[in-house]
Amino acid sequence: MSRWRGPLQLDTGQLGVLEAVLDAGPAASGWSDQCWTPARIAEIVRRRFGDEYTSAGLDLLLHRIGWSVRVPSRKAAERNEARIAAWEDRPRLPTAVTSAVEDL
């Protein structure tokens, strides 16, 4: 059972460790993909530091280290800039053609 130490449970050193673990990615912590979820992060906090957070508390904790529950603050490790650029530069249909197809 964790003890309640107030709204800011992890100290600065622990926050640094947490950020390093999150930066290493979920695969480094035993998950098979590269997707951090709030449940996974809460599990990391429980395992490493013995503290439990509510959803709101976890959200505040993540904001302290520049992370967000809903929007990734970092790019995916698998990101392929060349393929993204090719996708963005692809030929597109004119808006009138796209609208006509949607009306079918």
Side-chain angles (χ1 to χ4, degrees):
M1 184 93 170
S2 65
R3 63 194 192 298
W4 185 76
R5 296 189 307 223
L8 303 177
Q9 295 179 348
L10 299 185
D11 62 33
T12 305
Q14 291 171 318
L15 287 173
V17 170
L18 177 61
E19 187 168 16
V21 169
L22 296 178
D23 282 339
S29 294
W31 284 281
S32 62
D33 61 16
Q34 287 294 318
C35 181
W36 279 120
T37 64
R40 288 179 178 182
I41 297 170
E43 178 63 25
I44 292 293
V45 171
R46 271 193 297 279
R47 277 196 252 154
R48 294 266 179 162
F49 311 110
D51 286 326
E52 294 189 25
Y53 282 82
T54 63
S55 294
L58 186 63
D59 186 51
L60 291 172
L61 174 71
L62 292 174
H63 277 92
R64 287 178 65 198
I65 59 173
W67 283 62
S68 170
V69 172
R70 290 179 178 75
V71 179
S73 62
R74 292 166 175 77
K75 295 178 182 175
E78 300 87 359
R79 188 176 171 99
N80 184 326
E81 295 298 333
R83 290 186 74 184
I84 292 169
W87 170 258
E88 290 172 348
D89 292 339
R90 74 191 186 284
R92 295 190 176 108
L93 293 173
T95 306
V97 173
T98 307
S99 297
V101 170
E102 290 174 355
D103 291 338
L104 291 178

XYZ file of all heavy atoms in Angstrom:
813
model
N 0.845 -1.192 0.000
C 0.000 0.000 0.000
C 0.883 1.244 0.000
O 1.844 1.325 0.737
C -0.875 -0.038 1.252
C -1.856 1.061 1.332
S -3.368 0.441 0.614
C -4.466 1.696 1.035
N 0.569 2.167 -0.860
C 1.372 3.384 -0.922
C 0.941 4.359 0.160
O -0.193 4.322 0.628
C 1.247 4.023 -2.300
O -0.071 4.441 -2.509
N 1.846 5.219 0.550
C 1.506 6.226 1.545
C 1.251 7.540 0.828
O 1.883 7.832 -0.187
C 2.611 6.366 2.575
C 3.926 6.848 2.045
C 5.019 6.625 3.092
N 6.254 7.277 2.836
C 7.058 7.090 1.808
N 6.720 6.277 0.852
N 8.198 7.726 1.703
N 0.355 8.322 1.363
C 0.015 9.596 0.729
C 0.981 10.642 1.237
O 1.154 10.841 2.433
C -1.419 9.978 1.058
C -1.850 11.208 0.323
C -2.190 11.280 -0.986
C -1.971 12.523 0.848
N -2.518 12.568 -1.327
C -2.400 13.353 -0.213
C -1.772 13.093 2.075
C -2.624 14.705 -0.070
C -1.988 14.443 2.225
C -2.407 15.234 1.157
N 1.675 11.308 0.322
C 2.643 12.333 0.695
C 2.230 13.700 0.196
O 3.034 14.612 0.179
C 4.017 11.977 0.124
C 4.564 10.710 0.706
C 5.992 10.499 0.296
N 6.179 10.563 -1.136
C 6.926 9.725 -1.833
N 7.542 8.753 -1.234
N 7.056 9.864 -3.130
N 1.035 13.844 -0.242
C 0.589 15.134 -0.752
C 0.436 15.100 -2.258
O 0.662 14.085 -2.891
N 0.066 16.224 -2.842
C -0.236 16.257 -4.263
C 0.967 16.005 -5.176
O 0.815 15.526 -6.280
C -0.810 17.652 -4.489
C -0.371 18.459 -3.314
C -0.161 17.499 -2.191
N 2.182 16.327 -4.738
C 3.365 16.110 -5.561
C 4.193 15.003 -4.916
O 5.070 15.254 -4.102
C 4.181 17.399 -5.693
C 3.439 18.598 -6.272
C 4.330 19.833 -6.283
C 2.951 18.301 -7.671
N 3.889 13.759 -5.260
C 4.501 12.630 -4.583
C 5.942 12.366 -5.017
O 6.781 12.037 -4.194
C 3.666 11.365 -4.792
C 2.308 11.462 -4.143
C 1.475 10.230 -4.376
O 1.800 9.396 -5.192
N 0.387 10.119 -3.662
N 6.241 12.461 -6.295
C 7.587 12.144 -6.765
C 8.479 13.381 -6.660
O 8.082 14.479 -7.031
C 7.563 11.657 -8.215
C 6.770 10.380 -8.492
C 6.942 9.956 -9.947
C 7.179 9.258 -7.563
N 9.716 13.173 -6.169
C 10.646 14.296 -6.081
C 11.335 14.512 -7.433
O 11.117 13.762 -8.387
C 11.651 14.084 -4.955
C 12.537 12.858 -5.152
O 12.855 12.517 -6.303
O 12.909 12.245 -4.131
N 12.176 15.508 -7.509
C 12.818 15.882 -8.764
C 13.647 14.739 -9.343
O 13.612 14.486 -10.553
C 13.707 17.127 -8.558
O 12.900 18.167 -7.999
C 14.295 17.615 -9.862
N 14.382 14.035 -8.500
C 15.189 12.911 -8.975
C 14.334 11.795 -9.540
O 14.660 11.207 -10.582
N 13.232 11.487 -8.859
C 12.324 10.451 -9.339
C 11.672 10.856 -10.651
O 11.466 10.025 -11.538
C 11.263 10.158 -8.284
C 11.822 9.469 -7.056
C 10.798 9.378 -5.939
O 10.061 10.332 -5.671
N 10.755 8.230 -5.282
N 11.354 12.146 -10.789
C 10.775 12.617 -12.049
C 11.761 12.437 -13.194
O 11.379 12.073 -14.308
C 10.361 14.087 -11.942
C 9.114 14.374 -11.110
C 8.925 15.878 -10.954
C 7.895 13.739 -11.723
N 13.041 12.665 -12.926
C 14.066 12.450 -13.942
C 14.149 10.996 -14.366
O 14.277 10.682 -15.552
N 14.055 10.094 -13.380
C 14.065 8.652 -13.681
C 12.835 8.289 -14.508
O 12.940 7.571 -15.510
C 14.118 7.821 -12.380
C 13.890 6.342 -12.662
C 15.445 8.039 -11.660
N 11.668 8.791 -14.113
C 10.437 8.508 -14.854
C 10.544 8.998 -16.290
O 10.193 8.277 -17.230
C 9.227 9.140 -14.162
C 7.893 8.974 -14.880
C 7.529 7.498 -15.036
C 6.795 9.730 -14.157
N 11.053 10.205 -16.480
C 11.180 10.740 -17.836
C 12.129 9.880 -18.671
O 11.868 9.609 -19.848
C 11.655 12.186 -17.805
C 11.628 12.823 -19.169
C 11.823 14.335 -19.128
O 12.267 14.869 -18.106
O 11.523 14.968 -20.154
N 13.219 9.420 -18.072
C 14.164 8.564 -18.800
C 13.509 7.248 -19.195
O 13.704 6.755 -20.312
C 15.406 8.309 -17.945
N 12.709 6.685 -18.293
C 11.997 5.433 -18.600
C 11.015 5.664 -19.744
O 10.941 4.864 -20.682
C 11.270 4.884 -17.349
C 10.320 3.756 -17.705
C 12.286 4.423 -16.313
N 10.262 6.754 -19.686
C 9.289 7.051 -20.740
C 9.994 7.336 -22.070
O 9.535 6.889 -23.124
C 8.398 8.224 -20.337
C 7.505 7.991 -19.117
C 6.710 9.253 -18.795
C 6.587 6.807 -19.312
N 11.114 8.051 -22.021
C 11.865 8.337 -23.252
C 12.399 7.062 -23.900
O 12.519 6.989 -25.124
C 13.026 9.288 -22.971
C 12.583 10.734 -22.818
O 11.487 11.085 -23.314
O 13.333 11.520 -22.207
N 12.726 6.062 -23.083
C 13.247 4.792 -23.610
C 12.174 4.029 -24.375
O 12.483 3.165 -25.187
C 13.806 3.940 -22.481
N 10.907 4.335 -24.116
C 9.806 3.700 -24.834
C 9.251 2.489 -24.106
O 9.929 1.879 -23.274
N 8.022 2.126 -24.417
C 7.360 0.999 -23.758
C 8.061 -0.340 -23.970
O 8.063 -1.182 -23.089
C 5.963 0.980 -24.386
C 5.761 2.350 -24.904
C 7.120 2.833 -25.312
N 8.679 -0.541 -25.135
C 9.351 -1.816 -25.401
C 10.475 -2.058 -24.402
O 10.708 -3.201 -23.976
C 9.876 -1.856 -26.829
N 11.158 -1.011 -23.989
C 12.243 -1.144 -23.014
C 11.719 -1.563 -21.635
O 12.467 -2.086 -20.821
C 13.012 0.167 -22.900
N 10.427 -1.350 -21.407
C 9.815 -1.736 -20.137
C 8.997 -3.016 -20.251
O 8.256 -3.369 -19.335
C 8.918 -0.605 -19.623
O 9.706 0.519 -19.290
N 9.108 -3.693 -21.390
C 8.470 -4.998 -21.521
C 7.209 -5.060 -22.362
O 6.655 -6.138 -22.545
N 6.738 -3.934 -22.877
C 5.567 -3.969 -23.750
C 6.025 -4.161 -25.193
O 7.104 -3.720 -25.574
C 4.728 -2.707 -23.593
C 3.927 -2.731 -22.325
C 2.761 -3.403 -22.102
C 4.233 -2.064 -21.096
N 2.339 -3.191 -20.810
C 3.218 -2.378 -20.170
C 5.281 -1.242 -20.690
C 3.201 -1.900 -18.865
C 5.268 -0.766 -19.396
C 4.238 -1.093 -18.502
N 5.174 -4.779 -25.994
C 5.597 -5.156 -27.345
C 5.437 -4.053 -28.386
O 5.869 -4.208 -29.513
C 4.816 -6.395 -27.796
O 3.430 -6.097 -27.841
N 4.818 -2.925 -28.028
C 4.638 -1.854 -29.007
C 5.197 -0.541 -28.468
O 5.753 -0.494 -27.383
C 3.169 -1.711 -29.396
C 2.273 -1.364 -28.210
O 2.800 -0.935 -27.164
O 1.059 -1.497 -28.328
N 5.058 0.510 -29.235
C 5.596 1.823 -28.865
C 4.494 2.792 -28.454
O 4.513 3.958 -28.811
C 6.391 2.401 -30.040
C 7.716 1.734 -30.264
C 8.675 1.965 -29.106
O 8.767 3.061 -28.569
N 9.384 0.929 -28.709
N 3.539 2.319 -27.696
C 2.414 3.157 -27.290
C 2.343 3.246 -25.763
O 2.053 2.258 -25.096
C 1.120 2.574 -27.852
S -0.333 3.539 -27.438
N 2.614 4.436 -25.234
C 2.421 4.645 -23.802
C 0.946 4.941 -23.564
O 0.365 5.782 -24.232
C 3.245 5.827 -23.299
C 4.668 5.518 -23.031
C 5.748 6.097 -23.618
C 5.187 4.570 -22.093
N 6.901 5.564 -23.112
C 6.591 4.622 -22.166
C 4.609 3.663 -21.201
C 7.418 3.824 -21.382
C 5.437 2.863 -20.422
C 6.821 2.946 -20.517
N 0.354 4.263 -22.627
C -1.018 4.546 -22.207
C -0.964 5.005 -20.761
O 0.003 4.720 -20.046
C -1.904 3.288 -22.308
O -1.413 2.309 -21.389
C -1.912 2.726 -23.729
N -1.997 5.718 -20.302
C -2.003 6.112 -18.897
C -1.879 4.904 -17.948
O -1.182 4.985 -16.938
C -3.360 6.814 -18.733
C -3.644 7.361 -20.087
C -3.119 6.324 -21.045
N -2.520 3.797 -18.296
C -2.433 2.605 -17.437
C -1.006 2.077 -17.365
O -0.533 1.659 -16.303
C -3.376 1.529 -17.960
N -0.308 2.100 -18.486
C 1.079 1.631 -18.498
C 1.979 2.555 -17.688
O 2.853 2.104 -16.941
C 1.599 1.541 -19.930
C 1.004 0.394 -20.707
C 1.537 0.371 -22.115
N 1.001 -0.774 -22.843
C 1.327 -1.070 -24.083
N 2.191 -0.310 -24.745
N 0.804 -2.127 -24.673
N 1.780 3.849 -17.837
C 2.590 4.801 -17.081
C 2.314 4.658 -15.590
O 3.238 4.673 -14.771
C 2.342 6.238 -17.573
C 2.783 6.371 -19.031
C 3.078 7.245 -16.690
C 2.371 7.659 -19.698
N 1.051 4.482 -15.229
C 0.704 4.271 -13.819
C 1.378 3.000 -13.288
O 1.855 2.973 -12.146
C -0.811 4.187 -13.657
N 1.448 1.965 -14.107
C 2.116 0.721 -13.711
C 3.607 0.953 -13.490
O 4.183 0.438 -12.535
C 1.891 -0.356 -14.778
C 2.574 -1.676 -14.493
C 2.078 -2.367 -13.229
O 0.931 -2.114 -12.814
O 2.860 -3.152 -12.660
N 4.237 1.727 -14.364
C 5.654 2.062 -14.204
C 5.869 2.799 -12.880
O 6.792 2.497 -12.120
C 6.159 2.919 -15.393
C 6.176 2.104 -16.677
C 7.518 3.540 -15.098
C 7.194 0.979 -16.694
N 5.021 3.769 -12.589
C 5.136 4.539 -11.341
C 4.960 3.615 -10.141
O 5.720 3.700 -9.165
C 4.121 5.703 -11.317
C 4.081 6.368 -9.950
C 4.454 6.721 -12.404
N 3.991 2.697 -10.206
C 3.789 1.741 -9.101
C 5.017 0.858 -8.905
O 5.481 0.662 -7.789
C 2.570 0.858 -9.372
C 1.260 1.401 -8.860
C 0.156 0.345 -8.885
N -0.156 -0.133 -10.228
C -0.946 0.491 -11.097
N -1.509 1.634 -10.767
N -1.183 -0.013 -12.283
N 5.526 0.303 -10.018
C 6.670 -0.619 -9.934
C 7.939 0.074 -9.460
O 8.652 -0.452 -8.628
C 6.940 -1.245 -11.300
C 6.073 -2.429 -11.603
C 6.669 -3.195 -12.775
N 5.850 -2.997 -13.962
C 6.285 -3.085 -15.197
N 7.536 -3.332 -15.462
N 5.462 -2.902 -16.202
N 8.234 1.231 -10.033
C 9.503 1.914 -9.743
C 9.517 2.636 -8.400
O 10.543 2.671 -7.733
C 9.801 2.941 -10.839
C 10.065 2.339 -12.183
C 11.525 2.151 -12.351
N 11.791 1.540 -13.646
C 12.959 1.554 -14.217
N 13.958 2.132 -13.631
N 13.130 0.966 -15.366
N 8.375 3.273 -8.066
C 8.379 4.176 -6.913
C 7.401 3.788 -5.813
O 7.406 4.392 -4.751
C 8.085 5.605 -7.378
C 8.935 6.032 -8.544
C 8.385 6.209 -9.795
C 10.300 6.218 -8.391
C 9.159 6.584 -10.883
C 11.093 6.592 -9.468
C 10.520 6.774 -10.720
N 6.540 2.813 -6.080
C 5.587 2.376 -5.061
C 4.456 3.343 -4.803
O 3.777 3.245 -3.789
N 4.250 4.286 -5.704
C 3.181 5.277 -5.549
C 2.067 5.009 -6.547
O 2.304 4.553 -7.661
C 3.710 6.697 -5.781
C 4.552 7.184 -4.620
O 4.244 6.819 -3.475
O 5.513 7.930 -4.862
N 0.853 5.311 -6.121
C -0.305 5.179 -7.004
C -0.930 6.544 -7.211
O -0.998 7.347 -6.291
C -1.321 4.204 -6.407
C -0.777 2.789 -6.346
C -1.830 1.767 -5.967
O -3.023 2.031 -6.211
O -1.444 0.726 -5.445
N -1.363 6.771 -8.430
C -1.969 8.049 -8.797
C -3.366 7.833 -9.356
O -3.626 6.844 -10.026
C -1.129 8.745 -9.883
C 0.106 9.430 -9.367
C 1.272 8.715 -9.121
C 0.105 10.793 -9.113
C 2.408 9.352 -8.652
C 1.232 11.434 -8.646
C 2.378 10.709 -8.419
O 3.494 11.334 -7.946
N -4.237 8.795 -9.101
C -5.529 8.816 -9.783
C -5.266 9.266 -11.216
O -4.167 9.714 -11.550
C -6.490 9.823 -9.113
O -5.922 11.136 -9.241
C -6.716 9.486 -7.641
N -6.267 9.186 -12.059
C -6.109 9.663 -13.439
C -5.723 11.135 -13.466
O -4.824 11.544 -14.211
C -7.397 9.455 -14.233
O -7.658 8.089 -14.376
N -6.386 11.933 -12.645
C -6.086 13.368 -12.596
C -4.677 13.604 -12.059
O -3.938 14.454 -12.560
C -7.109 14.093 -11.732
N -4.284 12.851 -11.059
C -2.946 12.988 -10.494
C -1.870 12.589 -11.484
O -0.811 13.224 -11.576
N -2.136 11.528 -12.250
C -1.184 11.092 -13.272
C -1.051 12.158 -14.356
O 0.051 12.441 -14.829
C -1.630 9.762 -13.880
C -0.652 9.127 -14.861
C 0.654 8.772 -14.166
C -1.273 7.901 -15.497
N -2.153 12.780 -14.728
C -2.135 13.855 -15.720
C -1.252 15.003 -15.230
O -0.405 15.510 -15.974
C -3.561 14.330 -15.983
C -3.641 15.339 -17.115
O -3.093 15.057 -18.191
O -4.256 16.396 -16.907
N -1.398 15.399 -13.968
C -0.571 16.469 -13.401
C 0.896 16.057 -13.348
O 1.788 16.847 -13.653
C -1.062 16.835 -11.996
C -2.413 17.531 -11.918
C -2.862 17.655 -10.464
C -2.331 18.896 -12.575
N 1.146 14.823 -12.968
C 2.514 14.310 -12.912
C 3.176 14.380 -14.283
O 4.313 14.847 -14.420
C 2.512 12.864 -12.405
C 3.854 12.147 -12.417
C 4.762 12.713 -11.334
C 3.663 10.663 -12.225
N 2.471 13.930 -15.306
C 3.028 13.945 -16.659
C 3.291 15.365 -17.146
O 4.286 15.624 -17.811
C 2.107 13.206 -17.622
C 2.032 11.696 -17.386
C 0.990 11.070 -18.281
C 3.391 11.046 -17.588
N 2.405 16.297 -16.801
C 2.615 17.687 -17.205
C 3.864 18.273 -16.550
O 4.523 19.128 -17.118
C 1.381 18.533 -16.894
C 0.344 18.433 -17.955
N -0.666 17.499 -17.906
C 0.169 19.116 -19.109
C -1.421 17.624 -18.979
N -0.936 18.590 -19.727
N 4.209 17.796 -15.363
C 5.420 18.280 -14.681
C 6.679 17.947 -15.479
O 7.679 18.648 -15.371
C 5.528 17.671 -13.280
C 4.543 18.249 -12.290
C 4.662 17.584 -10.929
N 5.954 17.842 -10.303
C 6.437 17.114 -9.295
N 5.762 16.084 -8.825
N 7.606 17.399 -8.785
N 6.642 16.877 -16.277
C 7.817 16.509 -17.073
C 7.615 16.788 -18.563
O 8.360 16.294 -19.405
C 8.219 15.036 -16.831
C 7.091 14.064 -17.196
C 8.695 14.836 -15.410
C 7.485 12.596 -17.126
N 6.578 17.570 -18.881
C 6.369 17.993 -20.259
C 5.632 16.994 -21.125
O 5.668 17.099 -22.344
N 4.972 16.030 -20.518
C 4.204 15.038 -21.271
C 2.717 15.350 -21.116
O 2.303 16.072 -20.228
C 4.477 13.633 -20.735
C 5.787 13.071 -21.165
C 7.026 13.564 -20.878
C 5.994 11.904 -21.947
N 7.982 12.775 -21.436
C 7.384 11.747 -22.097
C 5.144 10.972 -22.524
C 7.937 10.695 -22.810
C 5.702 9.929 -23.229
C 7.081 9.796 -23.376
N 1.925 14.768 -22.010
C 0.480 14.935 -21.966
C -0.184 13.585 -22.153
O 0.299 12.746 -22.909
C 0.037 15.882 -23.076
O -1.362 15.887 -23.197
N -1.283 13.376 -21.484
C -2.007 12.118 -21.608
C -2.636 11.986 -22.988
O -2.634 10.923 -23.577
C -3.094 11.998 -20.512
C -3.968 10.788 -20.742
C -2.445 11.923 -19.139
N -3.139 13.066 -23.538
C -3.904 12.974 -24.779
C -3.094 13.224 -26.047
O -3.396 12.697 -27.092
C -5.061 13.953 -24.723
C -6.098 13.480 -23.721
C -7.242 14.451 -23.623
N -8.247 14.000 -22.715
C -8.159 14.009 -21.407
N -7.055 14.446 -20.826
N -9.138 13.567 -20.657
N -2.093 14.068 -25.957
C -1.356 14.448 -27.149
C 0.123 14.117 -26.948
O 0.727 14.593 -26.004
C -1.504 15.962 -27.434
C -0.714 16.367 -28.655
C -2.968 16.325 -27.594
N 0.707 13.315 -27.825
C 2.128 13.002 -27.667
C 2.981 14.271 -27.775
O 2.749 15.098 -28.636
C 2.439 12.067 -28.833
C 1.132 11.638 -29.375
C 0.114 12.662 -28.972
N 3.941 14.417 -26.887
C 4.821 15.570 -26.954
C 6.103 15.233 -27.702
O 6.935 16.091 -27.920
C 5.156 16.068 -25.549
O 5.828 15.068 -24.827
N 6.238 13.976 -28.079
C 7.416 13.541 -28.822
C 6.980 12.761 -30.050
O 5.901 12.201 -30.080
C 8.288 12.660 -27.939
C 8.921 13.451 -26.807
C 9.486 12.518 -25.754
N 10.185 13.223 -24.719
C 9.621 13.886 -23.735
N 8.322 13.964 -23.669
N 10.327 14.487 -22.823
N 7.840 12.707 -31.042
C 7.527 11.964 -32.258
C 7.775 10.481 -32.040
O 8.659 10.092 -31.280
C 8.377 12.476 -33.413
C 8.064 13.912 -33.790
C 8.955 14.390 -34.892
C 8.631 15.842 -35.201
N 9.548 16.401 -36.179
N 7.020 9.655 -32.719
C 7.170 8.207 -32.607
C 8.560 7.774 -33.051
O 9.124 8.331 -33.998
C 6.118 7.501 -33.460
N 9.104 6.772 -32.386
C 10.430 6.254 -32.730
C 10.447 5.692 -34.149
O 11.467 5.725 -34.830
C 10.847 5.179 -31.734
N 9.309 5.176 -34.604
C 9.229 4.557 -35.925
C 8.971 5.569 -37.037
O 8.833 5.206 -38.185
C 8.093 3.523 -35.961
C 8.245 2.397 -34.976
C 7.658 2.733 -33.612
O 7.146 3.863 -33.429
O 7.724 1.892 -32.730
N 8.895 6.830 -36.709
C 8.554 7.870 -37.673
C 9.536 7.867 -38.844
O 10.745 7.847 -38.657
C 8.571 9.217 -36.968
C 8.070 10.361 -37.784
C 8.061 11.621 -36.924
N 7.780 12.774 -37.705
C 6.595 13.358 -37.807
N 5.585 12.867 -37.154
N 6.418 14.420 -38.539
N 9.014 7.893 -40.063
C 9.834 7.880 -41.267
C 9.589 9.196 -42.008
O 8.594 9.343 -42.723
C 9.467 6.675 -42.137
C 10.338 6.550 -43.358
O 10.770 7.537 -43.933
N 10.584 5.310 -43.765
N 10.496 10.148 -41.826
C 10.310 11.488 -42.381
C 10.191 11.476 -43.906
O 9.419 12.242 -44.472
C 11.459 12.399 -41.944
C 11.520 12.650 -40.437
C 10.296 13.360 -39.878
O 9.611 14.108 -40.608
O 10.017 13.162 -38.689
N 10.941 10.607 -44.576
C 10.880 10.555 -46.039
C 9.504 10.108 -46.522
O 8.950 10.671 -47.473
C 11.958 9.613 -46.570
N 8.931 9.114 -45.866
C 7.596 8.649 -46.272
C 6.528 9.688 -45.953
O 5.565 9.850 -46.702
C 7.280 7.318 -45.593
C 8.140 6.188 -46.162
C 7.751 4.864 -45.612
N 6.489 4.456 -46.237
C 5.832 3.369 -45.912
N 6.307 2.566 -44.971
N 4.694 3.054 -46.498
N 6.691 10.397 -44.859
C 5.733 11.448 -44.511
C 5.787 12.560 -45.553
O 4.751 13.038 -46.028
C 6.013 11.994 -43.093
C 5.692 10.916 -42.047
C 5.219 13.268 -42.832
C 6.163 11.244 -40.658
N 6.997 12.950 -45.951
C 7.146 13.993 -46.967
C 6.537 13.553 -48.294
O 5.855 14.332 -48.964
C 8.626 14.337 -47.150
N 6.746 12.283 -48.659
C 6.164 11.764 -49.898
C 4.640 11.789 -49.836
O 3.971 12.120 -50.814
C 6.667 10.346 -50.166
N 4.082 11.454 -48.687
C 2.628 11.461 -48.515
C 2.094 12.888 -48.630
O 1.095 13.143 -49.293
C 2.256 10.867 -47.161
C 0.814 11.039 -46.809
C 0.279 11.946 -45.957
C -0.296 10.281 -47.317
N -1.080 11.811 -45.887
C -1.457 10.794 -46.721
C -0.409 9.235 -48.220
C -2.722 10.280 -46.991
C -1.679 8.733 -48.476
C -2.814 9.254 -47.874
N 2.764 13.830 -48.016
C 2.303 15.218 -48.059
C 2.432 15.820 -49.461
O 1.670 16.702 -49.829
C 3.074 16.055 -47.040
C 2.689 15.696 -45.612
C 3.560 16.368 -44.567
O 4.614 16.938 -44.919
O 3.181 16.309 -43.387
N 3.388 15.337 -50.257
C 3.614 15.854 -51.613
C 2.837 15.101 -52.679
O 2.987 15.378 -53.865
C 5.110 15.806 -51.954
C 5.904 16.782 -51.118
O 5.311 17.744 -50.585
O 7.127 16.579 -50.981
N 2.012 14.141 -52.302
C 1.289 13.324 -53.280
C 0.308 14.192 -54.074
O -0.187 15.201 -53.567
C 0.543 12.186 -52.586
C -0.703 12.657 -51.844
C -1.291 11.597 -50.938
N -2.536 12.007 -50.358
C -2.690 12.861 -49.364
N -1.643 13.431 -48.828
N -3.887 13.156 -48.898
N 0.021 13.805 -55.306
C -0.981 14.536 -56.089
C -2.364 14.389 -55.440
O -2.702 13.329 -54.921
C -0.958 13.845 -57.453
C 0.202 12.929 -57.452
C 0.621 12.716 -56.042
N -3.114 15.439 -55.450
C -4.450 15.410 -54.850
C -5.494 15.765 -55.894
O -5.242 16.541 -56.813
C -4.515 16.399 -53.692
C -3.597 15.989 -52.559
C -3.848 16.845 -51.332
N -3.041 16.377 -50.235
C -1.981 17.008 -49.748
N -1.606 18.143 -50.287
N -1.315 16.518 -48.747
N -6.671 15.184 -55.720
C -7.785 15.520 -56.607
C -8.283 16.917 -56.282
O -8.258 17.342 -55.127
C -8.929 14.524 -56.401
C -8.656 13.081 -56.830
C -9.808 12.193 -56.409
C -8.445 13.009 -58.337
N -8.752 17.636 -57.282
C -9.343 18.944 -56.999
C -10.551 18.791 -56.075
O -11.224 17.774 -56.067
C -9.771 19.444 -58.372
C -9.023 18.623 -59.364
C -8.734 17.328 -58.691
N -10.825 19.816 -55.327
C -11.928 19.779 -54.363
C -13.255 19.467 -55.033
O -14.076 18.721 -54.495
C -12.024 21.126 -53.627
O -10.751 21.428 -53.059
C -13.057 21.078 -52.523
N -13.498 19.994 -56.209
C -14.774 19.758 -56.908
C -14.940 18.267 -57.205
O -16.039 17.708 -57.056
C -14.843 20.560 -58.202
N -13.876 17.586 -57.612
C -13.955 16.154 -57.905
C -14.199 15.387 -56.614
O -15.029 14.491 -56.559
C -12.651 15.665 -58.596
C -12.662 14.151 -58.739
C -12.500 16.355 -59.943
N -13.498 15.753 -55.555
C -13.674 15.075 -54.272
C -15.102 15.234 -53.775
O -15.722 14.267 -53.319
C -12.694 15.657 -53.216
O -11.368 15.605 -53.743
C -12.762 14.894 -51.928
N -15.683 16.422 -53.904
C -17.060 16.651 -53.471
C -18.037 15.839 -54.301
O -19.003 15.289 -53.778
C -17.412 18.130 -53.588
O -16.593 18.875 -52.719
N -17.813 15.734 -55.607
C -18.704 14.986 -56.474
C -18.679 13.499 -56.111
O -19.709 12.829 -56.114
C -18.318 15.170 -57.939
N -17.509 12.970 -55.778
C -17.395 11.565 -55.396
C -18.116 11.301 -54.080
O -18.812 10.308 -53.913
C -15.906 11.154 -55.277
C -15.749 9.785 -54.659
C -15.242 11.207 -56.646
N -18.018 12.246 -53.134
C -18.690 12.094 -51.842
C -20.204 12.113 -52.006
O -20.924 11.516 -51.211
C -18.247 13.190 -50.890
C -16.810 13.037 -50.419
C -16.328 14.204 -49.600
O -17.080 15.202 -49.460
O -15.197 14.125 -49.107
N -20.712 12.803 -53.025
C -22.149 12.893 -53.244
C -22.743 11.624 -53.837
O -23.953 11.472 -53.898
C -22.480 14.098 -54.158
C -22.229 15.415 -53.461
O -22.217 15.428 -52.206
O -22.037 16.433 -54.151
N -21.921 10.723 -54.328
C -22.440 9.509 -54.960
C -23.086 8.606 -53.987
O -23.131 8.224 -53.066
C -21.309 8.757 -55.681
C -20.779 9.491 -56.915
C -19.629 8.661 -57.518
C -21.854 9.674 -57.958
